[in-house]
Amino acid sequence: MYKKYNQQLNLNYLRIFNAIYMTKSTKKAAKTLEISQSAVSQTLTKMRDFTGDRLFYSVGSELQATARADKIGHGLNDHISLLDRSLVDHSFFEPEAFDGELTVAVSSLFLEALATELASSVIFDSFPNAKLNITTWTDKTIEELQNGTVHVGLNFDPIDVPKSIRAIPLTTTYPVLIARNEHPWLKNGMAKDKIRDYTIGGMLLPGLNEHLAILEKHNTDSFDFKYRSASMSVLTCLAESSDMIAITEALSASMCNDKITTIRADWLEDLMPTRIQHAIYYLERNHQLPLYHHICEVVKKVITEKLSGIALTSLSSKQ
C-alpha cells in the first residue's frame, strides 16, 4: 500500500541500520558514523516501528540480528558502498591531502621487522595530514575489516578470509635458517643431516602455524622444535646465546644483527607445501580506490628493500 512521503522510511536510517548490523553494537555504530549513540538508538526504534520487528536482541556484549534484520542487512553494505562511489569522484587522489582516519592492523612479525618504516615512510610520511592508528593484527581483525573499524591489514598470505576481503600479495617470502656466527654446524659444513644434533627453534607465523607443524610431522629426523615464538627478537637472542638453529621467514630474518648468520636452503624451501607471501588486506569493495593502491605500492617498496638487504648464505641440497 502506498505511503505518503513522511510515512516512508528515511533512507538514511538504512545507513545507521547497516552500521549496527555490521558492528553488532549501537555504541560501535555511533563511533563508526561519528554521531551520538542516542541518535543511533532513536533510529533503531524507528526502524523497529516501521518493520514491526525487534531486529536486534542482546547476546552478551553484542547485538544478534533477527531473521528480518538479516533479510534487510544481507548485501546492504555493498549497496551503500556502491551508492557512495557513484556520488563521490575517486578518480583523483593526493596522499599528502588525505586528512581522513586510517587504522592499520599489522601482524606482530611485521611490527617488529618494519617498526622504523611504519613510524616513517610507510605510513606517516605518506599521509602527513591523516589521523593514523597502528594496531596489532588479532583474531578480531577480520571482523574489524568487515565492519570498517580497521581499514587495512598487513599479514601473510594465504590465510582464511571471507570473500568480502581482498588479499593483495606484495612480496614472496621463504624459510631462512639462522645461527650464531661461531656455531659448530656452520664450521662443519652445514650438512642437512647434522641439524638434528642441535636444538631447533621456529617462528610462529600467524595463520600459518601448520607449516611448521608439517616440517616437524614429515621430517621428524631433522626437525624437533624445542622453541617456538612469534617474536623474532626472542629467537635472535636465543640463537646468539646458544647452539640453537632457528627457522624463520625472510622479512623477519632482516632483523638479524652481524652476530647471526642467515642461510637460505633450497631443500628447506622444497619442504614448504605452500608459497607464502606478505600481503595487504582490505575490503573488496575498496579495491578501486586509489588510497588502497597507494598503500600497497608504498608497503611493497619498503618490504622489497628490506628483503634485498639481507646478507644470505646459500645452501643447496647437495650440502
Side-chain angles (χ1 to χ4, degrees), residues 205-223:
L205 306 182
L208 295 169
N209 295 345
E210 68 273 13
H211 289 308
L212 287 181
I214 287 173
L215 286 178
E216 191 168 13
K217 180 178 179 181
H218 297 295
N219 302 274
T220 53
D221 290 341
S222 298
F223 303 106

Side-chain angles (χ1 to χ4, degrees), residues 239-259:
E240 282 184 29
S241 59
S242 71
D243 281 345
M244 182 188 75
I245 299 173
I247 300 175
T248 181
E249 62 88 32
L251 181 59
S252 298
S254 70
M255 296 174 58
C256 292
N257 55 42
D258 56 9
K259 298 179 182 178

